[in-house]
Amino acid sequence: MPFFDDQDKPWQPLPVIPEGISPSLASWLLDTGSLTERLKKTYQNDVKVNVIKHAWAVPTHSEKLFLGLADGTRTSIREIFLVCAGQIKIFARSVFPESSLRGEQASLLELGNKPLGEFLFAHPAVKRGTIEMAGIPAKQFNQHLPFQYTDERAWGRRSLFYIYNQPISVCEVFLPERKQA
């Protein structure tokens, strides 16, 4: 199984929130503001970006459909963990079609450990489009975690952002609470 597998997941448009999701988690999933800013406020600026990888790669079939991409479209994919107060809280995966990386947007290839949200929410040409959510097996992240999930479900949302009408997909998965080593 690939590290990030969103195939066959029932991505649903927000604001549909499935039963069993806590009001606290629902408030994070429904928030259309900057996740980075909200995390910084919640964790007194103790938020770090741990880059898992950032490289040219093939998006999942679901991501291609979400972005409206033709097969063979070149994309850069960035996968990170957001670490808040020393705890891994969120996995994020961003898909940047090559057409979205022209001009000043080419700097998105060099984000390093800077939050993508700081760029997106500060850029005057960025518009947020569709937001969807799905439940995802948390154990698919185990290979990059200092602990192991078993049958826990993580809840994620994915958003389309447009920079000068060019799409970027940002998926944020809120990992279940675990005691971490």
Side-chain angles (χ1 to χ4, degrees), residues 96-111 116 119-120 123 125-126 162-166 168:
F96 308 98
E98 189 172 30
S99 62
S100 300
L101 296 169
R102 297 199 174 107
E104 67 184 279
Q105 289 80 251
S107 67
L108 293 172
L109 293 170
E110 300 168 3
L111 282 170
L116 172 59
F119 176 91
L120 293 176
H123 197 291
V126 171
Y162 296 91
I163 303 175
Y164 300 113
N165 298 315
Q166 296 299 313
I168 291 172

Side-chain angles (χ1 to χ4, degrees), residues 43 46-48 50 82-89 146-147 180-181:
Y43 293 98
D46 189 0
V47 178
K48 294 180 178 52
N50 284 356
L82 291 171
V83 180
C84 305
Q87 300 290 307
I88 298 169
K89 296 288 187 183
F147 53 89
Q180 298 181 33

Side-chain angles (χ1 to χ4, degrees), residues 108-171:
L108 293 172
L109 293 170
E110 300 168 3
L111 282 170
N113 61 1
K114 295 177 193 158
L116 172 59
E118 288 180 357
F119 176 91
L120 293 176
F121 284 90
H123 197 291
V126 171
K127 305 272 187 272
R128 192 174 204 161
T130 303
I131 304 173
E132 299 178 336
M133 69 159 292
I136 297 169
K139 66 183 174 185
Q140 72 177 289
F141 305 105
N142 284 350
Q143 64 183 301
H144 292 285
L145 295 171
F147 53 89
Q148 301 291 287
Y149 288 113
T150 53
D151 296 326
E152 296 91 339
R153 177 176 295 250
W155 289 96
R157 66 178 184 184
R158 65 180 182 181
S159 306
L160 277 179
F161 287 91
Y162 296 91
I163 303 175
Y164 300 113
N165 298 315
Q166 296 299 313
I168 291 172
S169 170
V170 178
C171 177

Side-chain angles (χ1 to χ4, degrees), residues 17-18 20-27:
I17 297 291
I21 292 181
S22 71
S24 173
L25 178 57
S27 79

